[in-house]
Amino acid sequence: MATSEDPEIVIIGCGVSGIAAAHRLVKAGYRHVRILEATGRSGGRIKTAALGNTITEIGAAYIHGPTEKNPLFCLARDYGLLPPEALNPANQAVDVDEDPPLVPNWFSSSGQRLSAESMEPAEELFREILDNASKLQNPQNTSWKSLGHFMRTKAQDQAAGRWKDEDETTRQLLLSAFSTMLKFECCGSATHSMDDIDLAGFSMFESLRGVDCTLPRGFERLIENLMSELPSDLVTYNCPVRCVHWSNTEGGLSPVTVECENGERIAADHVIVTVPLGYLKKHHSTLFYPPLPAHKLKSIETLGFGTCDKIFVEFESPWWDANCEIIYLVWEDEETVSDQVSDVSKSWIRKLVTFTVHKPSEKGSHVLCGWICGHEAEYMETLPEKEVRESITKLVRTFTGNSTITPKRILCSRWFTDPWTYGSYCHPAIGCTAKDLKNMMEPLPSQETVSQPLQVLFAGEATHPCFYSTVHGAILTGWREADRLINHY
């Protein structure tokens, strides 16, 4: 163990968890802290871009639960990045369970505008079933195979009783609306289908109070503020890591050697690994020597990691109401409740059933954000932008019945084909338990009796036991691992 109070600490990844760890260590007086970042920029899955003059979030877009308990909220507030309404105490007290009540516009695939009132029964049923799923007492002991299985079965069962007085066409339309909401819910978990989500695992996630809010000037402003408080030479960019040699396998004075792709070898007392779970899944076998322990590997494989993409679309003029915040598209020809399409390459666009309305950052800007996830999103990423734009144009014209609507321009995220992420964020896949998230954050070597403990530590959203998939979860894990080292010394 480094006897000096100033160990060599290397952080792999300059996303928000890596930055948070560095921040904590530097503030505690540690002078030998270094971040290695594979790309040319900071922020990781926080990435702000522009579509024309409109600020768009390619990555993280929301503060989920903007209250005092949320470190992301507190940082954004201290840096003066929040919209005024987010500072309103009433806003912070609302318990919306990450589902803020948005004003909807509904459209059907026959080109009809559907009234929000007529769709309310479907919305109510959906929220109720989802809420019940997260509150199941002993979900392990049920016959439900997955969250998707639970939701589909409950929807079919309850619709028959609840809507028995409605005619067959109305009942079918409400079930189709339920499918629309199920597809959108897949985006929240970055999963291909709710059939891939563990029913017991689903209740591990914890929501914070408060109505979700955005950062009007972009999430990257947060990264810029955090980075401005770190020494300017702390990060080495365009420096991918080839292998972390731990357990003194290199035979040097330091227990860990970080081997970079450029051939540089960095001796370290501690390494904090903050790479996305998607990258770990793909590269764990070459990224660590000796290999990771079996129980940690099993958890990396068990925890789910999927793709949620956004397609920003700008229009000359809005085809939605002035007060509209979310647009739902209902496919009337889908016979059963489903969140998947039959042929991804032919029908991928059918998975995109929701647009959120972008608050205009300037007058005359009319931008929607289309949400798509799973294999359909992964397929979309392979297409040229022109083809995606044509598919969006056809989709909007079909649902509005207006053949003159043409998008001005579009902008797509592509998280699956990004070689440093291979997806967006994690979810509790089938078989995933709290033990897996515990294994994810366990440092190496596992035995605490060894003479050189805490050689390799793990941070990032996929290592938080209940705030996984969020920015606040990522920040807390960076602080957690920094504190682990600070407490150790």
Side-chain angles (χ1 to χ4, degrees):
M1 179 170 57
T3 45
S4 76
E5 294 293 295
D6 213 353
E8 298 283 345
I9 302 169
V10 172
I11 298 168
I12 301 176
C14 197
V16 76
S17 61
I19 296 169
H23 224 252
R24 197 77 142 201
L25 290 163
V26 168
K27 278 197 166 163
Y30 288 79
R31 288 169 310 168
H32 302 294
V33 179
R34 181 174 176 185
I35 299 178
L36 304 177
E37 167 56 40
T39 72
R41 54 176 282 275
S42 314
R45 286 169 279 171
I46 288 176
K47 191 177 183 183
T48 303
L51 182 64
N53 296 317
T54 304
I55 289 171
T56 57
E57 301 290 9
I58 299 295
Y62 296 100
I63 299 182
H64 295 296
T67 58
E68 294 293 328
K69 286 185 178 169
N70 187 329
L72 170 59
F73 171 80
C74 297
L75 284 169
R77 179 198 58 205
D78 296 348
Y79 291 137
L81 301 174
L82 292 171
E85 66 271 16
L87 295 163
N88 174 350
N91 220 48
Q92 296 172 33
V94 183
D95 193 0
V96 290
D97 203 28
E98 287 221 358
D99 241 336
L102 300 174
V103 177
N105 280 181
W106 290 83
F107 295 86
S108 76
S109 53
S110 56
Q112 303 298 309
R113 177 77 187 270
L114 306 167
S115 75
E117 295 72 34
S118 67
M119 294 292 105
E120 244 165 47
E123 281 207 63
E124 278 168 18
L125 181 61
F126 184 84
R127 304 260 171 263
E128 202 175 292
I129 294 175
L130 192 64
D131 196 41
N132 290 343
S134 64
K135 289 177 181 155
L136 279 179
Q137 287 309 310
N138 274 322
Q140 293 95 334
N141 307 337
T142 65
S143 57
W144 314 112
K145 298 185 190 76
S146 64
L147 177 58
H149 182 220
F150 175 83
M151 293 191 72
R152 283 198 319 278
T153 311
K154 289 283 183 194
Q156 303 280 12
D157 291 352
Q158 293 188 29
R162 280 193 188 203
W163 305 331
K164 61 179 186 297
D165 298 335
E166 305 285 1
D167 60 68
E168 179 55 33
T169 310
T170 305
R171 268 206 309 271
Q172 189 53 52
L173 187 64
L174 288 169
L175 280 172
S176 296
F178 190 95
S179 289
T180 290
M181 301 189 76
L182 196 60
K183 285 174 184 158
F184 185 43
E185 189 62 35
C186 290
C187 292
S189 294
T191 182
H192 173 58
S193 164
M194 297 314 265
D195 291 358
D196 299 334
I197 302 288
D198 191 273
L199 187 53
F202 181 64
S203 57
M204 295 190 299
F205 186 85
E206 285 178 24
S207 299
L208 296 170
R209 281 177 183 271
V211 179
D212 289 3
C213 71
T214 57
L215 299 182
R217 288 161 47 214
F219 257 76
E220 275 191 13
R221 301 295 84 76
L222 173 80
I223 300 296
E224 286 166 10
N225 276 282
L226 287 167
M227 292 300 291
S228 71
E229 294 172 15
L230 292 174
S232 58
D233 58 350
L234 189 116
V235 185
T236 306
Y237 292 102
N238 301 306
C239 185
V241 168
R242 180 178 290 153
C243 184
V244 176
H245 302 268
W246 58 286
S247 199
N248 211 354
T249 44
E250 294 283 281
L253 293 173
S254 303
V256 192
T257 302
V258 179
E259 179 191 356
C260 303
E261 289 286 357
N262 63 10
E264 187 184 358
R265 296 176 101 79
I266 303 162
D269 296 297
H270 311 282
V271 173
I272 304 177
V273 177
T274 74
V275 302
L277 175 60
Y279 189 84
L280 264 189
K281 281 177 178 284
K282 200 162 176 76
H283 294 292
H284 65 77
S285 62
T286 54
L287 193 57
F288 300 96
Y289 187 80
L292 296 175
H295 66 282
K296 199 171 187 84
L297 277 182
K298 188 175 180 301
S299 294
I300 287 170
E301 282 160 14
T302 304
L303 195 56
F305 191 80
T307 305
C308 172
D309 276 324
K310 300 181 222 178
I311 305 175
F312 294 96
V313 194
E314 187 178 12
F315 296 91
E316 286 290 353
S317 55
W319 43 269
W320 53 93
D321 291 348
N323 67 340
C324 172
E325 295 172 301
I326 191 164
I327 295 166
Y328 291 118
L329 309 179
V330 181
W331 287 98
E332 293 162 291
D333 57 354
E334 291 180 356
E335 297 292 307
T336 54
V337 173
S338 173
D339 58 14
Q340 303 174 55
V341 305
S342 52
D343 184 331
V344 170
S345 62
K346 283 198 182 76
S347 314
W348 66 270
I349 193 71
R350 289 176 79 110
K351 187 74 163 264
L352 197 163
V353 289
T354 316
F355 289 99
T356 43
V357 180
H358 221 280
K359 284 190 183 123
S361 43
E362 62 159 39
K363 217 169 162 53
S365 136
H366 309 293
V367 175
L368 298 179
C369 174
W371 297 81
I372 187 165
C373 59
H375 303 330
E376 294 84 356
E378 291 161 13
Y379 180 76
M380 178 279 293
E381 292 190 21
T382 67
L383 301 173
E385 190 177 287
K386 183 171 176 283
E387 200 171 319
V388 176
R389 190 166 154 175
E390 283 166 4
S391 296
I392 296 277
T393 305
K394 192 176 169 194
L395 181 78
V396 171
R397 288 176 177 180
T398 299
F399 279 84
T400 57
N402 180 343
S403 61
T404 64
I405 297 175
T406 309
K408 255 169 84 172
R409 52 190 152 198
I410 69 165
L411 177 65
C412 309
S413 67
R414 299 183 191 273
W415 289 110
F416 181 67
T417 43
D418 183 319
W420 307 111
T421 58
Y422 295 106
S424 305
Y425 38 89
C426 77
H427 56 255
I430 302 295
C432 178
T433 66
K435 185 83 177 89
D436 291 304
L437 288 154
K438 196 162 179 267
N439 290 343
M440 288 296 299
M441 65 167 121
E442 184 189 70
L444 301 175
S446 303
Q447 305 83 359
E448 298 213 338
T449 52
V450 292
S451 61
Q452 293 169 313
L454 307 182
Q455 295 175 24
V456 186
L457 304 94
F458 294 84
E461 54 88 13
T463 71
H464 197 285
C466 57
F467 297 145
Y468 50 83
S469 79
T470 67
V471 177
H472 60 273
I475 291 169
L476 287 167
T477 63
W479 287 349
R480 178 191 70 209
E481 297 312 312
D483 288 344
R484 203 191 291 268
L485 290 177
I486 293 165
N487 294 337
H488 171 68
Y489 283 101

